[in-house]
Amino acid sequence: MAEIPPHLPALPLPSTRCLLPRACLPLGGLGRFHQKPRCLQPLDSAVPGPPRLGSAWSRHGSVLVGPPNRVMLLSELVALYFSLSDNGWANFSSNLPSKPRSPILISDSVLALCDVGTPWRSQWKLFSCTLSSLKNSHSWSRLERHEWGDVFDILKRPRLVRGNGNKVLMVGGLRSSFSLNASCSTILILRLDLETMEWDEAGRMPLEMFRFFKESSKFKVFGGGNRVGFSAKRIGRLALCDLSEDTGKSDWRWVESVPGSGDGLCRGFVFEARPTASP
């Protein structure tokens, strides 16, 4: 068994759901990676690292981690995939229409937002591909329904977050209008049920909290399940949203003393600590 890094706090077992800063694990959640990333399952063992990667990967690639024991390194053109059951890394063409934004693993599918607009105006669409289709270099499917209307146009800089079960969360600034440089009135969390293919509003940041993010052109989003965290430069604390599917309400609060650097607070992800857990 690999030793738990000294900066990783002791977590009660067998099961605890918490938000961990990304710095706690060398590979977890979604983010850029370096030329020789190392995958660490802190309560079990290390996963073999992927082949040496070029500098383009560290600038444009995304890291996806999903249970059980699956890791994917995804870029616009190529994907590397690891599964503990296969005991090795496989590489194949990803063939995405543009650089993927906030891709996520849900069950046996990969979902990502891609910009199919023009250099002057972004137009975000949701794409999906099963792992088996991706391995066979099949094309991605655009997920869209006529009933969805302008769901992708009302959000500025949307991101995906993995929800509970077959639920996808899409988070972004709520545009005050459809003009090119429209300001945002708040931050909105939408939820897509992949079984019914229906959207609903999961949460809306309170205005007294949003005023701290209003002047920030870019804010960071991370989390999973029923928790979503938000941070931005010069705010110095984490905004956390707890979503309740039972009541349909969202609880928003500030989290103090979160570690960070000059670039802002550490990003992170939801981690359920148990001997067989994967981030």
Side-chain angles (χ1 to χ4, degrees):
M1 177 179 293
E3 294 183 1
I4 298 177
H7 56 274
L8 183 66
L11 299 172
L13 297 177
S15 181
T16 295
R17 169 167 283 206
C18 58
L19 279 171
L20 290 180
R22 191 176 68 183
C24 287
L25 297 176
L27 186 60
L30 171 67
R32 296 178 179 178
F33 43 87
H34 302 290
Q35 289 191 6
K36 190 61 177 177
R38 184 168 183 265
C39 311
L40 178 64
Q41 211 276 50
L43 301 182
D44 187 3
S45 59
V47 174
R52 186 171 181 83
L53 306 173
S55 59
W57 281 85
S58 60
R59 293 194 303 269
H60 304 295
S62 297
V63 179
L64 292 76
V65 181
N69 300 310
R70 296 181 301 178
V71 181
M72 177 175 286
L73 278 57
L74 180 67
S75 75
E76 179 181 345
L77 301 176
V78 184
L80 290 173
Y81 175 71
F82 174 88
S83 173
L84 199 60
S85 59
D86 297 333
N87 197 30
W89 289 86
N91 65 82
F92 35 84
S93 300
S94 54
N95 295 321
L96 279 164
S98 65
K99 177 184 175 182
R101 168 175 281 187
S102 59
I104 56 175
L105 273 171
I106 293 186
S107 186
D108 291 322
S109 297
V110 185
L111 292 95
L113 290 169
C114 290
D115 186 359
V116 297
T118 67
W120 301 275
R121 189 181 185 98
S122 297
Q123 185 179 12
W124 295 99
K125 296 296 180 182
L126 182 61
F127 288 82
S128 173
C129 190
T130 63
L131 291 174
S132 58
S133 297
L134 198 57
K135 291 178 182 178
N136 293 324
S137 298
H138 292 170
S139 60
W140 292 65
S141 300
R142 183 188 293 189
L143 295 184
E144 54 186 351
R145 296 289 186 276
H146 176 73
E147 308 84 63
W148 290 358
D150 52 11
V151 66
F152 295 105
D153 299 323
I154 63 174
L155 294 183
K156 192 173 185 178
R157 296 182 58 83
R159 291 91 157 169
L160 298 181
V161 176
R162 188 174 63 197
N164 287 323
N166 285 326
K167 304 287 198 324
V168 179
L169 303 177
M170 186 166 67
V171 186
L174 178 60
R175 291 179 177 273
S176 56
S177 71
F178 289 110
S179 62
L180 183 60
N181 297 313
S183 60
C184 296
S185 58
T186 187
I187 294 174
L188 187 66
I189 304 176
L190 300 178
R191 179 169 49 218
L192 173 64
D193 188 325
L194 291 176
E195 294 182 0
T196 64
M197 298 301 287
E198 294 180 349
W199 290 93
D200 71 298
E201 181 177 324
R204 187 178 296 220
M205 182 177 285
L207 294 181
E208 60 271 18
M209 181 179 283
F210 175 68
R211 66 185 180 90
F212 291 93
F213 290 88
K214 192 172 184 178
E215 301 303 322
S216 178
S217 60
K218 297 181 181 180
F219 56 88
K220 297 178 180 179
V221 179
F222 67 88
N226 58 357
R227 287 186 174 180
V228 184
F230 302 84
S231 66
K233 289 184 178 181
R234 296 183 295 277
I235 292 183
R237 51 183 174 169
L238 178 75
L240 182 64
C241 177
D242 274 305
L243 304 172
S244 173
E245 294 187 36
D246 296 329
T247 64
K249 297 181 179 180
S250 57
D251 176 53
W252 296 79
R253 65 183 186 274
W254 290 108
V255 179
E256 308 286 349
S257 303
V258 179
S261 63
D263 192 39
L265 302 180
C266 293
R267 292 172 64 185
F269 51 92
V270 170
F271 182 66
E272 295 190 35
R274 58 188 185 277
T276 59
S278 294

